[in-house]
Amino acid sequence: MLYATLFTWAHLHNISDPALLKTTVQQYVEHFPCEECREHFATLVEHHPIQLEHVRTPEDVQIWSWLTHNLVNQRLGKPWYSAGEEYNFPDCL
Ligand SMILES: Cc1cc2nc3c(=O)[nH]c(=O)nc-3n(C[C@H](O)[C@H](O)[C@H](O)COP(=O)(O)OP(=O)(O)OC[C@H]3O[C@@H](n4cnc5c(N)ncnc54)[C@H](O)[C@@H]3O)c2cc1C
């Protein structure tokens, strides 16, 4: 259960500390339970338009997470969410 809770978008969106984002992203790249998602995510992080070294403030973290989730949404044919929308995480991965 804890495992399932850790590897979620909700978990990523709740992070505000840049150092914690970096370690969490590294954990996702290495241990995300879905192998295909993990590989795509690793490639996305590697070629990300905002490299993690440039993420230095809580606002940067929020923008990085929002953009990253949208890039995954785009690849999966899901809608693009505007920044600042009221988000709802029922049981999303
Ligand atoms: C790191 C990571 C990588 C993933 N990679 C893959 C993959 O390669 N292939 C795959 O099939 N699935 C992948 N997934 C899962 C996928 O992104 C969805 O979470 C999953 O398909 C469930 O979809 P959903 O529609 O229930 O929820 P989601 O698409 O996760 O959306 C849930 C809620 O998140 C909010 N939301 C959506 N976009 C944003 C945004 N940009 N910013 C803030 N909030 C937003 C909305 O309120 C939405 O209702 C990945 C998940 C994670 C956490």
Side-chain angles (χ1 to χ4, degrees):
M1 181 61 178
L2 178 63
Y3 194 68
T5 311
L6 280 178
F7 293 101
T8 62
W9 285 118
H11 181 59
L12 273 186
H13 286 296
N14 281 328
I15 292 175
S16 56
D17 176 61
L20 181 59
L21 177 72
K22 285 166 199 162
T23 55
T24 305
V25 165
Q26 193 55 37
Q27 284 168 358
Y28 277 44
V29 164
E30 290 173 17
H31 304 294
F32 198 86
C34 153
E35 187 182 347
E36 188 192 323
C37 308
R38 190 170 64 235
E39 286 169 4
H40 283 136
F41 190 63
T43 305
L44 174 59
V45 170
E46 194 183 342
H47 300 286
H48 202 287
I50 306 173
Q51 288 292 299
L52 280 167
E53 71 200 70
H54 300 307
V55 177
R56 299 191 192 105
T57 67
E59 290 76 19
D60 291 345
V61 171
Q62 211 175 7
I63 291 167
W64 191 94
S65 304
W66 162 78
L67 178 58
T68 305
H69 196 166
N70 269 329
L71 292 172
V72 171
N73 288 342
Q74 204 168 36
R75 196 173 63 71
L76 298 176
K78 293 189 171 187
W80 182 277
Y81 283 76
S82 296
E85 264 185 52
E86 193 67 32
Y87 301 126
N88 165 30
F89 297 103
D91 331 288
C92 74
L93 251 183

